[in-house]
């Protein structure tokens, strides 16, 4: 209930998340592909940063070994929305687990095999997105990639002058 919704430069929030994980990018040999943006979104900075941290942490945790591992972050803006894409070429999510990744305490096949997963991170991220009025979706193919898309709606009524 401690949301502070206002207009933020999305790039500033993304850069905070990147900065937090920079040592892990270096240590784990993960390449960052990032297209800076000047787009502004209506959100809560603290909670959106929490969501981004969770997504990036998962990308790092579930990276594949012995390949050119990367995390790509980019935005796409149209007249009705802004989409934030975070994509990796990690181990991916098995098809039978994909529909459950936002469920409370769901760890799935990868969580049991690869790490000490609680199944709470994406559950909380989804709950926060709903409360913030954002949409979060995940696309993935096992052994290939995972792409998380956060959609921010645009509404002139909400803009402050």
């Amino acid at each position: 209930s401690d949301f502070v919704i206002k207009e933020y430069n999305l790039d500033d929030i993304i850069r905070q998340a990147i900065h937090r994980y920079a040592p892990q990018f270096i240590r784990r040999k993960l390449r960052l592909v990032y297209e800076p943006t000047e787009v502004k979104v209506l959100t809560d900075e603290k909670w959106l940063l929490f969501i981004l941290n969770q997504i990036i942490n998962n990308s790092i945790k579930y990276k594949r070994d012995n390949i050119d591992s990367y995390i790509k972050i980019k935005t796409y803006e149209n007249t009705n929305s802004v989409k934030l894409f975070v994509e990796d070429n990690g181990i991916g999510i098995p098809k039978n687990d994909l529909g459950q990744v936002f469920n409370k305490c769901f760890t799935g096949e990868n969580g049991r095999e690869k790490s000490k997963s609680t199944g709470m991170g994406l559950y909380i991220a989804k709950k926060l997105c709903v409360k913030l009025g954002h949409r979060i979706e995940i696309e993935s193919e096992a052994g290939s990639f995972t792409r998380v898309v956060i959609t921010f709606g645009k509404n002139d009524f909400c803009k402050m002058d």
Side-chain angles (χ1 to χ4, degrees), residues 35 48 71 84 107 110 119:
E35 299 174 15
L48 180 58
I71 296 175
L84 172 62
T107 58
N110 291 339

Side-chain angles (χ1 to χ4, degrees), residues 36-112:
T37 180
E38 291 298 319
V39 71
K40 296 190 183 316
V41 295
L42 288 170
T43 193
D44 179 285
E45 180 181 38
K46 175 177 109 175
W47 293 114
L48 180 58
L49 184 57
F50 175 91
I51 294 163
L52 277 176
N53 284 337
Q54 181 59 48
I55 294 165
I56 292 171
N57 184 52
N58 282 352
S59 290
I60 293 169
K61 191 182 336 182
Y62 298 114
K63 79 180 262 316
R64 282 189 287 165
D65 295 325
N66 303 320
I67 65 161
D68 179 22
S69 295
Y70 64 78
I71 296 175
K72 293 180 182 178
I73 301 173
K74 67 178 183 175
T75 58
Y76 172 77
E77 182 178 17
N78 64 32
T79 55
N80 297 320
S81 66
V82 172
K83 291 184 182 286
L84 172 62
F85 297 86
V86 181
E87 180 178 323
D88 64 60
N89 64 341
I91 64 173
I93 302 167
K95 195 173 203 169
N96 55 323
D97 287 353
L98 196 55
Q100 302 176 72
V101 295
F102 293 119
N103 293 351
K104 187 176 186 178
C105 298
F106 180 77
T107 58
E109 186 179 315
N110 291 339
R112 287 187 296 277

Side-chain angles (χ1 to χ4, degrees), residues 16-35:
Q16 288 180 62
I18 290 170
H19 181 74
R20 175 180 181 176
Y21 288 99
Q24 288 192 51
F25 278 96
I26 295 165
R27 187 171 51 253
R28 304 280 310 268
K29 297 183 172 108
L30 258 164
R31 185 168 45 97
L32 174 66
V33 180
Y34 175 55
E35 299 174 15

Side-chain angles (χ1 to χ4, degrees), residues 119-130:
M120 292 302 291
L122 289 176
Y123 167 76
I124 294 170
K126 173 76 172 191
K127 290 286 187 192
L128 286 168
C129 281
V130 168

